[in-house]
Amino acid sequence: MEQTSKARDELDRLGRPLRSQLVALITDLTIRVHLRRLSLDEPKVADGREPLRHHYATVYQGNRPATVTAAETAARAAFLLREAGWDVTASEENDDGMLWKVVVAHRDGNGIRILTSDQTPAVAFRGQTPALELCPPQPVQQPEPVRTPETPTPGHVIC
């Protein structure tokens, strides 16, 4: 149980600055902000394979002001993230004819990805912590057999 508690504490420690940074970015870069849509309240399963790994992850979409271009939004996002100590890269991605300005940032294992395009007022924010095991792996235990050589049902044979 102590290992579970330590892992959850570490995940919470990583999640707090991620949420804080996302709030700062969203409020600076978008209009009509609805932060209750920013859900980083409970860890989610990051990988369904055993042992289960959890992380905080969220997606938020807002709109940039009509007078601000996608390039300006991406440049401002990169500036804010660098000022906060994040490692930042900026690029462009073409997704079925839609050109996106993309800002990706990493710090302490956390990741933020921001996408914006001049073809839409939308600004998409994605953030996540690293995935951690919250519970120690449990050894797989085979169930007791229903029938044993000593307890066959009359008229049946154990294979």
Side-chain angles (χ1 to χ4, degrees), residues 3-110:
Q3 183 178 353
T4 300
S5 176
K6 285 181 181 177
R8 177 63 189 257
D9 289 347
E10 176 65 7
L11 200 53
D12 290 343
R13 184 189 71 75
L14 292 166
R16 281 188 297 274
L18 175 64
R19 185 179 204 299
S20 193
Q21 185 65 65
L22 285 168
V23 166
L25 290 165
I26 290 165
T27 55
D28 190 279
L29 301 173
T30 62
I31 56 175
R32 294 185 293 281
V33 175
H34 302 285
L35 290 177
R36 66 183 167 275
R37 293 187 312 192
L38 181 65
S39 63
L40 273 173
D41 301 331
E42 284 297 318
K44 300 172 178 138
V45 174
D47 184 353
R49 295 173 291 175
E50 290 292 332
L52 287 180
R53 296 164 55 85
H54 293 76
H55 66 167
Y56 283 106
T58 191
V59 175
Y60 180 93
Q61 183 171 314
N63 290 323
R64 61 186 157 74
T67 58
V68 179
T69 68
E72 292 168 332
T73 301
R76 176 80 176 146
F79 171 78
L80 292 170
L81 286 161
R82 283 189 185 104
E83 286 291 303
W86 291 72
D87 295 323
V88 179
T89 58
S91 64
E92 290 185 348
E93 292 179 10
N94 189 327
D95 184 15
D96 287 333
M98 191 163 206
L99 187 61
W100 293 96
K101 304 286 185 194
V102 181
V103 176
V104 177
H106 296 279
R107 188 178 81 189
D108 300 329
N110 288 336

